[in-house]
Amino acid sequence: MSEIVYPPVIRAAKIMFKVLGLRIRVEGHENIPATGGAVLCSNHVSYLDFIFAGLGANPAGRLVRFMAKKEVFDNKVAGPLMRGMHHIPVDRENGASSYIAALKALKDGEVVGVFAEATISQSFTVKEIKNGAVRMAVAGKVPLVPVALWGTQRLWTKGRKRKLWQRGTPITILVGEPMHPKRGDDYDQVTKELRIRMQELVDKAESTYPVDGKGQWWQPAHLGGTAPTPEQAAALDEAERAERAARKAAREAKAAREEK
């Protein structure tokens, strides 16, 4: 696969991180296979997570093809970059096509990145996840590798102003031991185990983070932060889904009226 875009983007990102003095710590990159396909499953706390999850695989010499909502690919600036890096667009109304594309990438020996929570966790804990990542790993006959990111939410997350130029922010990237789900397993049970492992990695990242977040908006409520509780975050997500559905219905109604 031609790699004209991805390597320069990585180099540019590393230069920017250095300029900003980001204190990036990567642990466990040896858990990512040096060759062959793998599914990387990361928690999701920031709009920048695909950059940092990909950076976690960089010491292993791997480029990650992330599954991302197709709206990102429609963006005039981000779209060409996403396509140039061979990331995989996800159409929520036609998920089969993205699944097939991801499976092909796995069988071609690529590392595919998945944010199984689907949307950013506003509680900064790992939300309930579906078994798509497990099914993909089984179908591709590849390992499933959990990843935890921490600190990325301080740069840019849902409901907060971007602080992309904030200097000296610590960023922790932890890569866990691979799981090897297989046909015949209870996929839902394996998914529960995956979520537990992801949360354990997040807990470790939080406990070793060099900045005390107690009382801070970016720290989970159960650790003394002011982030929404998981229940409050779920209510926020539901309200957002309802608003999105209402906007879609309004657009469709308007289009129907214009066709008459």
Side-chain angles (χ1 to χ4, degrees):
M1 185 179 291
S2 169
E3 298 297 349
I4 298 173
V5 177
Y6 216 147
V9 168
I10 292 174
R11 286 195 293 271
K14 287 182 175 180
I15 291 171
M16 184 59 68
F17 297 157
K18 188 172 183 179
V19 169
L20 293 174
L22 298 186
R23 293 180 281 161
I24 300 174
R25 176 170 65 98
V26 180
E27 289 185 8
H29 62 82
E30 66 277 2
N31 289 317
I32 299 173
T35 60
V39 175
L40 234 60
C41 191
S42 174
N43 69 316
H44 200 9
V45 293
S46 163
Y47 291 111
L48 304 175
D49 285 342
F50 74 97
I51 297 175
F52 290 101
L55 190 66
N58 192 242
R62 304 306 304 271
L63 299 176
V64 184
R65 316 300 176 180
F66 284 98
M67 301 184 74
K69 60 183 181 180
K70 72 177 186 66
E71 287 82 359
V72 178
F73 292 78
D74 295 336
N75 183 278
K76 292 181 180 179
V77 176
L81 289 174
M82 296 293 283
R83 287 187 288 273
M85 290 185 281
H86 307 292
H87 295 313
I88 302 167
V90 177
D91 185 345
R92 289 173 178 168
E93 297 181 0
N94 184 22
S97 62
S98 56
Y99 180 86
I100 292 170
L103 196 56
K104 182 181 184 304
L106 291 173
K107 291 183 176 179
D108 287 343
E110 300 284 354
V111 177
V112 172
V114 176
F115 295 105
E117 295 167 279
T119 57
I120 288 174
S121 170
Q122 296 185 72
S123 69
F124 307 131
T125 59
V126 181
K127 299 194 294 186
E128 293 292 334
I129 60 178
K130 295 184 178 179
N131 62 23
V134 174
R135 289 182 178 276
M136 196 183 302
V138 171
K141 298 179 181 179
V142 299
L144 177 61
V145 184
V147 176
L149 305 174
W150 193 250
T152 61
Q153 72 271 34
R154 297 178 64 191
L155 299 176
W156 187 15
T157 193
K158 185 177 289 187
R160 290 281 173 175
K161 289 183 179 179
R162 284 176 285 186
K163 294 186 177 180
L164 302 179
W165 308 114
Q166 181 172 275
R167 295 185 57 82
T169 304
I171 304 292
T172 300
I173 306 167
L174 302 182
V175 183
E177 294 183 3
M179 302 171 66
H180 299 276
K182 59 186 183 302
R183 292 193 186 279
D185 287 348
D186 182 331
Y187 294 164
D188 290 336
Q189 188 58 45
V190 176
T191 300
K192 288 179 182 178
E193 176 61 27
L194 170 63
R195 180 172 178 255
I196 289 170
R197 292 198 189 192
M198 290 170 64
Q199 186 61 59
E200 286 175 347
L201 286 171
V202 170
D203 291 342
K204 179 182 177 182
E206 291 170 346
S207 67
T208 57
Y209 196 65
V211 177
D212 181 8
K214 193 167 290 186
Q216 298 295 321
W217 64 264
W218 48 266
Q219 189 78 333
H222 73 276
L223 291 179
T226 61
T229 65
E231 294 75 20
Q232 291 169 334
L236 291 171
D237 288 344
E238 184 57 39
E240 184 180 344
R241 281 192 291 270
E243 183 180 348
R244 191 165 56 238
R247 288 198 303 266
K248 180 181 177 182
R251 287 195 304 269
E252 291 176 346
K254 181 180 178 180
R257 287 194 301 269
E258 291 174 349
E259 287 178 0
K260 291 181 179 180

